[in-house]
């Protein structure tokens, strides 16, 4: 089957990079976005919109700008390393305008797989006007933060609670929570962020967790972004060769910041068994008594909350459920079983021909953007017939062997989306033919090879060679630390400073001497 016209559903980061991947392969994409603008999760709404992802007013992205950047569009040097949601949206707007990726503002009502292998896509305008379109393939880019999971049945007595309760999806800012006693249920990134945000105005905040979590922060060694320091090919290799030692080293570093047992944070699992929580302010709110850690909730007795250790918090005013999201594709007219078995988290293994791909339906210890971009590049090359999928039975075996490639992660519903960041991206890059060969680089360009292997694993590495090669990728890699440093230069302090260029010259002299 020849694929030419592709429907891209969603105009968030995954949707925009999917449109670009289609254009790069000579396909004809049409991007559908049900809201009035691009940005997806990163478009802040003063009032949450049902069926769409939402962020709260104070949110700052956990991934630094270089680690979240698309592979041929480095961020502006002056942008902060960890951007506020308004700045993330600015980056996405610049990306969309640069490559002419603006969507059609229509909601997708239904997408159905026909007997011919093509897709019938029904759209609906804000005034309920429907239209039908025919496409050869569909890229689903709607993310996994749209449908809140509110497990009230797991909390006996919640029906007797006289106060207010809501899901973290509904949260925008702490207005209305002043001087309240608040319980936040769930110790992921959202739960910890909301506990900190609310604690600045509330009387007291209690953060309830079933298992605990390892907590890291955005700031790494010597003040550079933590992901710049730790997400490297060198680090990934050490974790693969020496997993137990790596676990001990990471846990030691976490406890050097603050003793996780003392602070009531320590989880049952090891550091590498689950993605850590990223929060710069939780420890300060705990040490000041504004946030207090609690175990899982046993039951509610009207306004009193009883925890599994027997402790009680009385006169609770508000409960916030930071309990994650359901996986949902309501517009797809397919049996749900198709979506339960996604080969490499992208292609439904049971669907033939492979004309449906899901992009950005993952999580990991790194930014979704670079991985989603590789997913889109891989999917469009499969649509074009330039790359082939394994046989259906082989894909099913691969899914059963390493479901979602999250074999070493501890069990939870969310873990079905978790991937090992660098190995996962490298596996897709091998399929596309864009994986950087460090040994070859050592012979041809040792300065670049050193940065690729020991420096941050940024997306530019996947534009050095193969289909979609970008001539600016080498420079983007060698100047990435300059862009990291630039936003700090708001007050210049006299003193010795080594630029990336002088570092490169020093390495070059050393290699020449050798």
């Amino acid at each position: 089957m020849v694929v030419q016209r592709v429907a891209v559903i969603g105009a968030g980061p995954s949707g925009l990079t999917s449109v670009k991947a289609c254009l790069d392969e000579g396909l004809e994409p049409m991007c559908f976005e049900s809201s009035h603008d691009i940005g997806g999760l990163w478009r802040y709404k003063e009032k949450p919109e049902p069926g769409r992802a939402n962020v709260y007013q104070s949110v700052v992205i956990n991934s630094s700008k270089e680690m979240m950047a698309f592979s041929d569009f480095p961020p502006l040097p002056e942008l902060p390393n960890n951007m506020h949601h308004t700045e993330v949206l600015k980056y996405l707007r610049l990306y969309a305008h640069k490559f002419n990726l603006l969507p059609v503002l229509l909601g997708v009502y239904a997408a159905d797989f026909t007997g011919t292998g093509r897709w019938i896509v029904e759209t609906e305008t804000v005034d309920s006007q429907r239209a039908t379109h025919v496409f050869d393939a569909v890229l689903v880019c709607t993310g996994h933060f749209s449908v809140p999971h509110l497990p009230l049945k797991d909390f006996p007595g919640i029906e007797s609670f006289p106060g207010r309760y809501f899901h973290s999806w509904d949260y925008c800012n702490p207005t209305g929570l002043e001087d309240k006693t608040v319980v936040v249920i769930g110790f992921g990134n959202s739960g910890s962020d909301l506990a900190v945000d609310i604690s600045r105005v509330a009387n007291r905040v209690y953060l309830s967790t079933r298992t605990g979590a390892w907590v890291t922060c955005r700031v790494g060694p010597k003040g550079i972004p933590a992901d710049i320091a730790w997400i490297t090919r060198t680090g990934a290799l050490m974790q693969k060769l020496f997993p137990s030692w790596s676990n001990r080293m990471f846990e030691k570093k976490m406890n050097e910041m603050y003793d996780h047992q003392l602070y009531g944070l320590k989880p049952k699992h090891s550091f590498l068994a689950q993605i850590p929580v990223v929060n710069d302010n939780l420890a300060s709110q705990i040490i000041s008594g504004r946030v207090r850690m609690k175990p899982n909730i046993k039951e509610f007795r009207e306004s009193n909350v009883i925890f599994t250790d027997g402790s009680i918090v009385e006169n609770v005013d508000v409960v916030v459920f930071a309990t994650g999201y359901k996986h949902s594709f309501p517009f797809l007219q397919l049996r749900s079983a198709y979506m339960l078995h996604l080969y490499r988290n992208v292609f439904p293994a049971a669907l033939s021909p492979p004309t449906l791909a899901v992009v950005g339906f993952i999580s990991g210890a790194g930014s979704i953007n670079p991985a989603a971009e590789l997913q889109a590049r891989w999917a469009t090359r499969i649509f074009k017939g330039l790359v082939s999928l394994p046989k259906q039975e082989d894909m099913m075996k691969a899914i059963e062997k390493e479901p979602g490639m999250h074999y070493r992660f501890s069990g939870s519903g969310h873990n079905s989306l978790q991937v090992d960041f660098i190995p996962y991206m490298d596996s897709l890059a091998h399929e596309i033919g864009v994986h950087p060969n460090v040994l070859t680089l050592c012979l041809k360009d040792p300065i670049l090879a050193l940065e690729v292997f020991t420096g941050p694993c940024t997306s530019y590495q996947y534009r050095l060679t193969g289909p979609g090669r970008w001539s600016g990728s080498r420079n983007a890699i060698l100047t990435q630390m300059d862009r990291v440093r630039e936003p700090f230069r708001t007050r210049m302090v006299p003193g010795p400073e080594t630029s990336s260029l002088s570092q490169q010259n020093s390495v070059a002299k050393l290699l020449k001497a050798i």
Side-chain angles (χ1 to χ4, degrees):
M1 176 181 170
V2 177
V3 171
Q4 191 61 35
R5 301 189 72 234
V6 180
V8 179
I9 303 176
S14 297
L16 294 175
T17 197
S18 292
V19 172
K20 184 176 182 299
C22 288
L23 294 173
D24 289 347
E25 292 296 343
L27 299 172
E28 299 172 13
M30 181 177 287
C31 182
F32 297 102
E33 170 56 48
S34 61
S35 69
H36 66 274
D37 201 357
I38 68 170
L41 174 68
W42 297 106
R43 184 178 63 80
Y44 172 71
K45 303 100 178 164
E46 292 188 3
K47 184 177 181 181
E49 301 167 358
R52 300 192 183 109
N54 186 47
V55 291
Y56 33 97
Q57 195 169 19
S58 63
V59 76
V60 171
I61 192 168
N62 287 335
S63 298
S64 64
K65 64 179 181 180
E66 293 297 321
M67 300 301 291
M68 63 143 282
F70 294 118
S71 61
D72 51 2
F73 195 68
L76 295 172
E78 61 269 23
L79 284 172
N81 282 290
N82 289 88
M83 297 184 283
H84 186 256
H85 64 78
T86 55
E87 292 155 329
V88 177
L89 184 58
K90 175 182 178 180
Y91 173 80
L92 295 175
R93 290 196 194 284
L94 292 171
Y95 179 71
H97 283 285
K98 167 75 173 179
F99 298 108
N100 193 25
L101 310 178
L102 297 180
V104 176
L105 300 179
L106 291 172
V108 172
Y109 173 75
D112 197 6
F113 190 60
T114 70
T116 65
R118 289 184 167 81
W119 290 83
I120 304 297
V121 176
E122 293 184 48
T123 58
E124 186 175 47
T125 63
V126 290
D127 55 355
S128 300
Q129 296 296 312
R130 291 187 182 178
T132 300
H133 314 261
V134 179
F135 292 94
D136 303 313
V138 173
L139 287 165
V140 176
C141 311
T142 51
H144 49 89
F145 298 108
S146 299
V147 183
H149 175 54
L150 194 61
L152 297 181
K153 61 180 178 57
D154 295 337
F155 297 91
I158 185 65
E159 67 280 355
S160 71
F161 179 64
R164 175 189 174 200
Y165 67 81
F166 58 91
H167 192 274
S168 58
W169 178 88
D170 290 296
Y171 181 83
C172 290
N173 55 57
T175 301
L177 300 178
E178 295 86 351
D179 302 319
K180 304 291 186 183
T181 298
V182 180
V183 173
V184 178
I185 302 174
F187 190 20
N189 286 321
S190 294
S192 61
D193 275 0
L194 266 60
V196 168
D197 204 37
I198 295 169
S199 69
R200 296 189 173 104
V201 302
N203 174 50
R204 187 87 68 201
V205 174
Y206 298 87
L207 180 53
S208 170
T209 173
R210 288 183 300 175
T211 60
W214 293 103
V215 181
T216 185
C217 62
R218 300 177 182 92
V219 183
K222 297 185 178 180
I224 67 169
D227 54 0
I228 287 284
W230 302 122
I231 302 180
T232 67
R233 293 190 177 278
T234 310
L237 181 61
M238 294 297 288
Q239 290 174 34
K240 181 179 179 180
L241 295 177
F242 309 107
S244 297
W245 177 85
S246 297
N247 258 314
R248 290 195 301 271
M249 290 302 101
F250 276 118
E251 291 177 13
K252 181 181 178 181
K253 287 182 182 296
M254 296 304 103
N255 283 317
E256 284 174 352
M257 292 191 294
Y258 34 84
D259 187 323
H260 277 55
Q261 185 169 353
L262 176 66
Y263 275 59
L265 305 171
K266 187 176 180 180
K268 300 174 183 177
H269 57 265
S270 62
F271 182 85
L272 292 176
Q274 195 164 312
I275 298 170
V277 168
V278 180
N279 196 292
D280 297 309
N281 302 304
L282 180 61
S284 66
Q285 296 304 91
I286 291 175
I287 204 170
S288 64
R290 306 310 302 162
V291 173
R292 296 188 178 183
M293 298 302 300
K294 302 296 288 184
N296 197 27
I297 292 175
K298 179 182 178 182
E299 63 178 319
F300 286 82
R301 293 179 188 168
E302 296 184 342
S303 62
N304 299 333
V305 178
I306 294 87
F307 297 90
T308 53
D309 63 355
S311 62
I312 301 174
V313 174
E314 299 179 335
N315 301 317
V316 173
D317 299 298
V318 179
V319 177
V320 182
F321 287 85
T323 45
Y325 294 83
K326 298 177 182 177
H327 306 162
S328 177
F329 305 95
F331 51 84
L332 282 178
Q333 307 298 299
L334 288 175
R335 298 198 312 272
S336 60
Y338 278 118
M339 308 311 291
L340 294 176
H341 300 95
L342 295 178
Y343 179 63
R344 298 198 176 174
N345 291 67
V346 178
F347 282 97
L351 189 66
S352 182
T355 55
L356 172 68
V358 183
V359 175
F361 198 59
I362 51 173
S363 66
S367 173
I368 289 178
N369 290 4
E373 182 181 32
L374 284 167
Q375 288 178 326
R377 293 172 69 185
W378 180 48
T380 51
R381 289 185 69 77
I382 287 173
F383 291 166
K384 287 275 289 186
L386 301 172
V387 179
S388 299
L389 289 174
K391 294 180 181 178
Q392 181 179 326
E393 54 267 30
D394 293 334
M395 288 192 286
M396 294 301 294
K397 287 178 182 178
I399 292 170
E400 292 169 4
K401 182 180 179 182
E402 294 181 1
M405 297 185 70
H406 68 284
Y407 54 90
R408 70 168 172 79
F409 293 100
S410 62
S412 75
H414 186 62
N415 281 355
S416 62
L417 305 182
Q418 290 184 359
V419 297
D420 257 337
F421 186 64
I422 294 177
Y424 179 74
M425 292 199 298
D426 280 352
S427 70
L428 296 178
H430 276 295
E431 294 286 348
I432 303 166
V434 296
H435 184 266
N437 189 316
V438 178
L439 292 178
T440 301
L441 285 176
C442 284
L443 299 174
K444 294 183 176 181
D445 194 337
I447 294 175
L448 179 61
L450 186 66
E451 186 67 17
V452 167
F453 186 61
T454 64
C457 186
T458 47
S459 60
Y460 321 125
Q461 297 185 10
Y462 302 109
R463 291 285 181 180
L464 288 169
T465 187
R469 181 181 179 276
W470 175 45
S471 61
S473 57
R474 181 184 187 276
N475 183 64
I477 293 169
L478 295 181
T479 58
Q480 57 197 6
M481 292 309 297
D482 292 331
R483 291 189 297 277
V484 168
R485 296 187 188 98
E486 180 60 30
F488 293 110
R489 303 182 192 277
T490 55
R491 173 178 176 258
M492 298 302 293
V493 180
E497 183 177 304
T498 304
S499 69
S500 62
L501 181 60
S502 63
Q503 290 175 356
Q504 295 164 26
N505 291 337
S506 298
V507 173
K509 290 177 182 177
L510 177 62
L511 291 170
K512 187 176 181 180
I514 294 173

